Amino acid sequence: FPYHYFELWLLSIINKIAINYSAAIILQYFVYVFFKTWIVIGIVGILRELKIVSRWAIPVVIAAIFFPVEIALQHIETGWGIYFSIWLRPNFLTYLFVFIPFVLFIVREKYIEAICCLLLLPIISTVTAPAIFTTITFVILFFKWFNFIENRINS
């Protein structure tokens, strides 16, 4: 049955193959590590596209991913705790599989492809559907209002 956490889909597939391991072990030590590795590769790819890559790029990206942002935010937030860390909320990792190509399309000024890429997010996580569809509708109306789409297509 469809479920809004994409990592559980992958876990289910791997669990059918590796039946000698518990689902918790596969999730923690294979699925999340697999996702984190591809996220780092994707972010470094965007940095290469922006020509920001240096010998410090990979260590800086890894440090940024593992930095506990919520500790710094505790001093300025007024409500409940916001957990941005992929260690505390690793189910957010799947969102980056859409946002990394989205950013890459924006960097390359391919806005139509970026919008299409963003439409994949509700497939990965159905809870994002209302926000994504509303945002894309307003962005398309904004582009249409200022004839931005036609100018991009005709050029």
Side-chain angles (χ1 to χ4, degrees):
F1 295 102
Y3 192 67
H4 67 273
Y5 289 135
F6 185 70
E7 71 271 13
L8 297 182
W9 296 356
L10 182 59
L11 167 65
S12 179
I13 292 168
I14 300 300
N15 200 16
K16 298 289 184 195
I17 298 168
I19 56 175
N20 294 333
Y21 297 99
S22 72
I25 297 293
I26 295 170
L27 185 66
Q28 185 70 31
Y29 296 108
F30 179 77
V31 174
Y32 289 148
V33 172
F34 178 77
F35 283 176
K36 290 173 188 177
T37 302
W38 280 104
I39 297 303
V40 169
I41 290 169
I43 293 171
V44 170
I46 289 174
L47 293 175
R48 288 184 74 123
E49 186 74 21
L50 294 170
K51 301 192 181 5
I52 301 176
V53 174
S54 68
R55 63 186 177 123
W56 297 103
I58 294 174
V60 168
V61 168
I62 291 172
I65 287 175
F66 297 132
F67 180 75
V69 176
E70 61 280 347
I71 291 173
L73 291 177
Q74 286 177 354
H75 301 290
I76 60 172
E77 68 183 23
T78 58
W80 59 85
I82 302 171
Y83 298 110
F84 292 106
S85 171
I86 59 176
W87 294 109
L88 298 175
R89 295 294 306 266
N91 56 318
F92 289 151
L93 283 170
T94 55
Y95 297 1
L96 293 174
F97 280 105
V98 171
F99 286 126
I100 288 174
F102 173 76
V103 169
L104 190 59
F105 283 130
I106 295 293
V107 166
R108 292 180 178 171
E109 297 181 1
K110 296 184 177 186
Y111 302 110
I112 303 298
E113 290 87 346
I115 290 172
C116 292
C117 183
L118 206 55
L119 284 171
L120 295 174
L121 191 57
I123 295 170
I124 292 174
S125 177
T126 58
V127 297
T128 63
I132 295 298
F133 293 143
T134 304
T135 301
I136 288 177
T137 301
F138 283 119
V139 167
I140 289 173
L141 289 174
F142 177 79
F143 283 173
K144 194 74 168 157
W145 180 268
F146 291 104
N147 293 325
F148 188 71
I149 293 176
E150 287 81 13
N151 293 341
R152 279 288 177 201
I153 293 173
N154 295 330
S155 60

